[in-house]
Amino acid sequence: MDFKDEIKLFGDKVEKLKNQIQTEEATKNAFIMPFIKVLGYDVFDPFEVMPEFIADIGIKKGEKVDYAILKEGKPSILIECKHWGESLDPHNSQLFRYFHTTTAKFGLLSNGIIYRFYTDLAEQNKMDEKPFFEFNVTDIKDNQIEELKKFHKSYFNIESIQTTASDLKYMNELKTLINVEFQNPSEGLIKLFSKQIYRGMLTSKIVEQFGALIKKSIQQYINDLITERLKSALKKENDTEQSDPEKELVATNTEEKGSVIETTEEEKEGYMIVKTILRQKIKPARIVYRDAQSYFAILLDDNNRKTICRLYFNGSRKYIGTFDEQKKETRTEILTIDDIFRFAEILHKTVDWYDSEKVQAKIQDSSLS
C-alpha cells in the first residue's frame, strides 16, 4: 500500500472513530500516534519519537511538548496535540513558546483532524504566527498528500521543505483572499474591474451595481469552467466507451432478451459521470450498466449483487439510489445529472465494500484449502 492509500484510509478511520474519542489523551492514542506511524516513524522507539519531550523555557524547567520527532538525536519536528473537538487557534502560542528553545525547524499543531505545520519563515528561530501548510485529514486533497509526503521519514529533508514552505504559505493566503473576494468582492476589486469597462464616473450607485454584476460574473465563470472540464472528461470517456467490449456485451444481452427498454442519453451521461468518479480508484472496464424498466443499474464487475448505484430517470423527477454496507438502498432526489458528483464519497465507499468482500472470500477459500 502506497502513502496515498495509507493516508486516505487513515482519514476514513478518523471520521468513523472521532465521536468515540472523549479526551485529549484518547485523541493522541487514536489519531496522533497512528498519524506519526503513517509518516514512517516508529512511535515505540524513543530515539525516533519522544513523547513528553522536555523543552525548558527560560527559568521554567520541565516544560513538555507532547511529541518530538528526532533526527540524529535532535528534535526536528515538535508536535502539540489537542482534543479533536477543540479549536486550534487559542493554542498557537503554546507551541510558539516551545519552538525557539530547541533545534526543531518545524512545529505541528493538531487535534487529530486538522494538522497545521509551522516554521520560521519571517524570523529565524521564531515560529511564524501562521502555518505554511494545513489540511483536514478526513478531506485531504491529492496535492496536499504530495506535500505531506515530504515529511515522511523516507523523504524528510529540512532544506527541501523550507524551500517550498514560503510558496505554500503565500499560496494558502492568496487562496483565502481569492475566496473572500469571489464571495464578496471588495470595493478595490470592483473599481479595478469597473474602470476597465465603464467610462463614466464611478459613483457609489455604479460601484454597488458593478459589485453585484462582478459577483455573478465570477460565479458564472467558475461554473462554466467546471462544466467545460466535465464535458471534456465525459467526451474522453465516451471515446473509450465506443471501443469498450464489456459495454457492447451488455447491450447485446439486452437486445437478445427482446426488451423494449430504451437507454436514454441522460442515463448514459449519468453512467459516464459515475465512471469518471470511480476511475481514480478502479479500472473503468469494471464498471458496467444494466438497464431495466424501472431503473438504470450501474454494477461492479457486471455482477448484479454488486450494485454501485441506481439511476431513476424515467419519471418527472430524477433520483439516485445509493447503497450502504448492508446493501440497503437509499434514494435521493437530484435536480441535475451533475448532482451525481455530490455522491462521489459514498460511491467510493460502496466499491471499497465490494472489493473488501472479495478479499475476505479469497482468504476464506485459501484457509479451507
Side-chain angles (χ1 to χ4, degrees):
M1 184 182 299
D2 63 15
F3 180 70
K4 179 179 177 180
D5 292 333
E6 278 193 272
I7 201 67
K8 290 276 190 181
L9 286 175
F10 173 69
D12 291 342
K13 181 181 178 182
V14 170
E15 182 65 36
K16 291 177 183 177
L17 291 180
K18 64 180 183 180
N19 291 325
Q20 308 300 319
I21 306 302
Q22 304 298 323
T23 64
E24 182 179 307
E25 196 62 32
T27 300
K28 294 179 188 177
N29 293 331
F31 296 161
I32 305 299
M33 288 180 68
F35 173 77
I36 296 172
K37 188 176 179 181
V38 170
L39 290 181
Y41 298 97
D42 185 351
V43 295
F44 300 109
D45 181 356
F47 291 101
E48 275 194 8
V49 181
M50 176 66 74
E52 299 294 313
F53 180 79
I54 297 176
D56 292 334
I57 304 174
I59 61 173
K60 296 180 69 175
K61 303 297 182 181
E63 292 290 310
K64 296 177 180 179
V65 185
D66 290 319
Y67 298 98
I69 294 178
L70 308 178
K71 186 175 182 180
E72 298 177 355
K74 296 181 179 180
S76 57
I77 305 174
L78 300 180
I79 304 174
E80 182 68 15
C81 313
K82 301 299 169 187
H83 179 255
W84 73 266
E86 284 190 60
S87 168
L88 295 179
D89 295 325
H91 303 292
N92 287 4
S93 60
Q94 192 169 354
L95 188 60
F96 181 89
R97 292 200 307 272
Y98 300 148
F99 187 85
H100 76 280
T101 66
T102 72
T103 59
K105 300 304 293 182
F106 301 103
L108 170 58
L109 182 63
S110 178
N111 59 10
I113 295 178
I114 305 298
Y115 290 78
R116 293 178 178 175
F117 286 83
Y118 297 81
T119 189
D120 54 353
L121 294 173
E123 187 176 339
Q124 192 172 6
N125 296 325
K126 183 178 180 182
M127 195 179 86
D128 298 331
E129 293 183 5
K130 295 182 179 180
F132 69 89
F133 179 41
E134 177 178 347
F135 64 89
N136 181 328
V137 77
T138 65
D139 186 29
I140 190 168
K141 309 297 187 295
D142 287 350
N143 65 307
Q144 293 174 326
I145 293 176
E146 289 303 310
E147 293 300 331
L148 178 61
K149 191 175 182 179
K150 295 176 183 178
F151 288 91
H152 192 280
K153 179 182 176 181
S154 302
Y155 308 100
F156 185 73
N157 182 282
I158 293 176
E159 290 74 19
S160 175
I161 298 174
Q162 286 189 315
T163 300
T164 58
S166 179
D167 289 345
L168 276 175
K169 177 184 177 182
Y170 294 128
M171 281 179 63
N172 289 333
E173 292 183 13
L174 283 169
K175 284 192 290 185
T176 301
L177 179 61
I178 290 170
N179 180 57
V180 172
E181 289 283 7
F182 280 11
Q183 295 296 326
N184 293 291
S186 65
E187 185 174 339
L189 183 68
I190 294 170
K191 288 183 176 180
L192 175 66
F193 285 168
S194 302
K195 285 178 181 178
Q196 299 180 57
I197 57 177
Y198 184 76
R199 301 308 175 192
M201 181 179 293
L202 293 179
T203 64
S204 57
K205 185 177 181 179
I206 294 297
V207 170
E208 183 179 353
Q209 177 187 355
F210 269 92
L213 292 174
I214 290 170
K215 183 176 181 179
K216 287 181 180 179
S217 298
I218 289 172
Q219 292 172 344
Q220 187 173 331
Y221 173 75
I222 293 173
N223 289 337
D224 290 346
L225 191 63
I226 293 172
T227 300
E228 285 302 315
R229 290 191 176 184
L230 290 177
K231 285 181 178 178
S232 177
L234 291 173
K235 184 178 183 301
K236 290 180 182 178
E237 286 289 336
N238 191 45
D239 292 341
T240 304
E241 279 297 299
Q242 291 178 0
S243 59
D244 189 341
E246 195 156 355
K247 181 179 175 182
E248 291 174 6
L249 177 62
V250 173
T252 302
N253 288 341
T254 303
E255 291 173 3
E256 288 176 352
K257 293 175 183 177
S259 173
V260 294
I261 298 166
E262 181 182 354
T263 301
T264 66
E265 289 301 317
E266 281 191 328
E267 289 170 334
K268 290 179 181 178
E269 187 174 349
Y271 169 64
M272 299 296 290
I273 290 175
V274 172
K275 290 191 76 171
T276 301
I277 290 170
L278 295 175
R279 69 179 302 159
Q280 58 184 289
K281 181 176 288 289
I282 60 175
K283 294 181 178 179
R286 296 183 64 193
I287 308 166
V288 299
Y289 71 75
R290 292 186 190 178
D291 205 351
Q293 288 186 340
S294 57
Y295 59 79
F296 180 90
I298 300 177
L299 312 175
L300 181 67
D301 300 329
D302 199 12
N303 188 334
N304 59 14
R305 293 190 300 274
K306 295 183 178 181
T307 305
I308 299 171
C309 67
R310 288 175 178 168
L311 305 180
Y312 299 85
F313 288 178
N314 295 329
S316 58
R317 295 182 177 180
K318 294 181 177 64
Y319 295 87
I320 181 173
T322 54
F323 295 82
D324 61 19
E325 200 165 358
Q326 285 72 44
K327 300 182 181 179
K328 179 183 176 182
E329 183 180 8
T330 300
R331 292 191 196 184
T332 307
E333 183 178 1
I334 58 176
L335 299 178
T336 69
I337 299 176
D338 287 344
D339 285 343
I340 294 173
F341 282 98
R342 295 193 291 109
F343 297 85
E345 183 177 356
I346 185 61
L347 295 179
H348 279 284
K349 287 182 179 179
T350 302
V351 169
D352 286 340
W353 292 329
Y354 289 142
D355 280 345
S356 177
E357 287 179 350
K358 188 175 181 180
V359 171
Q360 291 298 324
K362 285 183 178 180
I363 293 173
Q364 290 178 359
D365 289 343
S366 62
S367 63
L368 291 174
S369 60

